[in-house]
Amino acid sequence: MRRGCLPAPAHFAESFLGLSFLAFHEKVAVSRAMGCIPSEWRSRTDLDRITMLDWLQEKQQPQAAIDRFWYPILVSAVNEELHTMAAAHGLQVFWLGMLSQSDSYQMGLPSVPLRELYSEQGLGPNIQIHYRSPITGISLLNGHISGLESNDRLIEADYYVSALPFERVQALLPALPIQWKVFEHSPITGIHIWFDRPVTNLPHAALLDRTIQWMFNKRGGRYLQLVVSASRGLTEMSKQGIVKLAVRELSEFLPAVRLASVEKAHVIKEVRATFSAKPCLDAFRPDADTIFPNFFLAGDWTRTGWPATMEGAVRSGYLAAEAVTRAAWSPRNFLIPDIG
Ligand SMILES: Cc1cc2nc3c(=O)[nH]c(=O)nc-3n(C[C@H](O)[C@H](O)[C@H](O)COP(=O)(O)OP(=O)(O)OC[C@H]3O[C@@H](n4cnc5c(N)ncnc54)[C@H](O)[C@@H]3O)c2cc1C
């Protein structure tokens, strides 16, 4: 999809109408539903309680439009199935990423690894990063955090911000009054395949109506990375079985795969890849402030209003930093307004 000459929210119209994998009546149905998003996103109060599939059925979306348009975009953006994802997050993806502004779909790509981007030098003075130093305990004294245990050391500070995933916070600080049971994980599976010859010259592709969702050409059309979000169906399957399935599905789209041999393959099942952005979860996501006046929570799973994304994680960091400055009687604002 490319931006055309029409203003937002119709800037994708020309490109969308040209999509070859949707029939005309499916495009009309998708456009009708898209047209409802700007007003419903602001005005409806039940979007966190219903699933995205409920919303799509309410908008009478044909099955092919769901399978070939809504599903591929949303399952990878939110890492959840349509029948399990809160409609609020589904609409948010389309509103912020596609409809609100004509350039809001554009992305910045770091040209260096994150480790370099967020090095001590990159972050500024007075920053020290301790690698391989997991926190193994959190000490409490008189209702405050008095220190963190790591590698047999006690680390003391005025204020502490946790950016751990929810299951680690629960293990380290079970005293926090958070309804841990409502938080669940959603898996992602990555499949890396090296062929003995180039099988494609596409930089990337979405495989419609298949288990494999995305293909990324990592090197010369010979090394392909495949991604399956919300991959619960693959968690029990053997790695060999997953590679076989992936090669079979790829060969349906890329005929050269039929003539090629697999030189090596890796399957990475991330069972705890992200939290599941299911309906009614937002009310349970904690704010940065906790019952401990010198301890704050960040992380994509906290109350950011976003599903499990890097944007959500970054916003949680800004919110935690704001909470620390409030606790230190020197409040500052860091959060950048949403684009929509
Ligand atoms: C395979 C995959 C693909 C993804 N793709 C995308 C994407 O394309 N776009 C997108 O926006 N998001 C994507 N996400 C989601 C995104 O990565 C997360 O939402 C984001 O990284 C969450 O950031 P976070 O800082 O909250 O948590 P994390 O990035 O999970 O960071 C938590 C950190 O805590 C550390 N930790 C754990 N226990 C301890 C301990 N005891 N002591 C010290 N440190 C500890 C961990 O090592 C980790 O570094 C993807 C996630 C996965 C798994």
Side-chain angles (χ1 to χ4, degrees), residues 6-318:
L6 293 171
H11 51 289
F12 283 134
E14 293 159 73
S15 175
F16 174 74
L17 288 172
L19 294 179
S20 58
F21 53 84
L22 292 176
F24 182 70
H25 74 279
E26 291 155 359
K27 289 178 188 167
V28 172
V30 169
S31 310
R32 210 173 1 89
M34 285 280 220
C36 299
I37 293 178
S39 63
E40 293 199 13
W41 163 248
R42 293 188 195 289
S43 62
R44 269 180 80 157
T45 53
D46 62 342
L47 292 176
D48 182 50
R49 296 196 297 277
I50 63 170
T51 69
M52 190 62 197
L53 189 61
D54 292 335
W55 189 87
L56 292 170
Q57 284 170 344
E58 184 192 292
K59 299 290 176 267
Q60 299 178 338
Q61 294 300 288
Q63 194 57 44
I66 294 179
D67 294 343
R68 297 182 146 217
F69 181 78
W70 298 99
Y71 180 84
I73 295 173
L74 286 175
V75 76
S76 47
V78 184
N79 192 34
E80 200 37 282
E81 296 284 350
L82 298 177
H83 64 270
T84 328
M85 139 190 347
H89 294 307
L91 265 61
Q92 181 180 23
V93 168
F94 284 96
W95 172 242
L96 294 181
M98 288 199 180
L99 299 172
S100 60
Q101 290 180 20
S102 61
D103 60 356
S104 62
Y105 70 101
Q106 292 178 348
M107 288 188 280
L109 295 180
S111 55
V112 294
L114 288 180
R115 199 176 167 127
E116 261 175 62
L117 201 62
Y118 293 111
S119 63
E120 283 178 3
Q121 297 86 335
L123 288 169
N126 305 324
I127 304 271
Q128 264 187 305
I129 299 176
H130 300 269
Y131 293 105
R132 301 193 184 283
S133 311
I135 301 301
T136 48
I138 300 181
S139 312
L140 296 170
L141 187 67
N142 300 330
H144 284 65
I145 304 298
S146 55
L148 306 178
E149 292 151 34
S150 176
N151 294 342
D152 297 328
R153 283 187 315 137
L154 188 70
I155 302 164
E156 292 178 316
D158 296 330
Y159 300 99
Y160 303 85
V161 176
S162 159
L164 306 184
F166 66 86
E167 72 279 4
R168 299 304 309 149
V169 181
Q170 180 188 14
L172 287 166
L173 208 49
L176 282 175
I178 293 173
Q179 302 252 8
W180 299 109
K181 276 192 197 145
V182 299
F183 289 91
E184 289 170 26
H185 290 101
S186 182
I188 299 180
T189 300
I191 306 147
H192 300 255
I193 305 182
W194 287 261
F195 290 98
D196 64 346
R197 68 196 73 186
V199 294
T200 183
N201 51 19
L202 293 172
H204 60 87
L207 276 59
L208 299 179
D209 307 327
R210 299 293 185 285
T211 302
I212 304 301
Q213 294 155 357
W214 293 92
M215 180 281 281
F216 299 93
N217 182 344
K218 300 289 276 190
R219 202 174 313 124
R222 287 181 60 175
Y223 166 26
L224 306 186
Q225 182 187 358
L226 312 171
V227 181
V228 185
S229 296
S231 58
R232 291 184 186 86
L234 298 182
T235 43
E236 297 297 312
M237 201 186 268
S238 70
K239 295 195 171 179
Q240 227 180 0
I242 293 174
V243 173
K244 216 168 140 185
L245 169 89
V247 172
R248 194 184 68 231
E249 291 194 354
L250 272 181
S251 69
E252 293 174 48
F253 294 86
L254 311 172
V257 169
R258 290 176 214 153
L259 303 171
S261 305
V262 174
E263 284 187 335
K264 63 174 177 169
H266 286 315
V267 175
I268 301 169
K269 294 182 193 174
E270 298 221 32
V271 179
R272 294 177 167 180
T274 68
F275 75 88
S276 164
K278 58 189 184 180
C280 301
L281 182 74
D282 267 10
F284 295 99
R285 292 169 76 181
D287 288 320
D289 292 289
T290 69
I291 51 168
F292 304 110
N294 62 342
F295 183 79
F296 304 88
L297 290 173
D300 63 354
W301 60 282
T302 60
R303 190 171 301 167
T304 63
W306 280 67
T309 50
M310 290 194 271
E311 289 92 334
V314 169
R315 296 176 80 77
S316 80
Y318 287 144

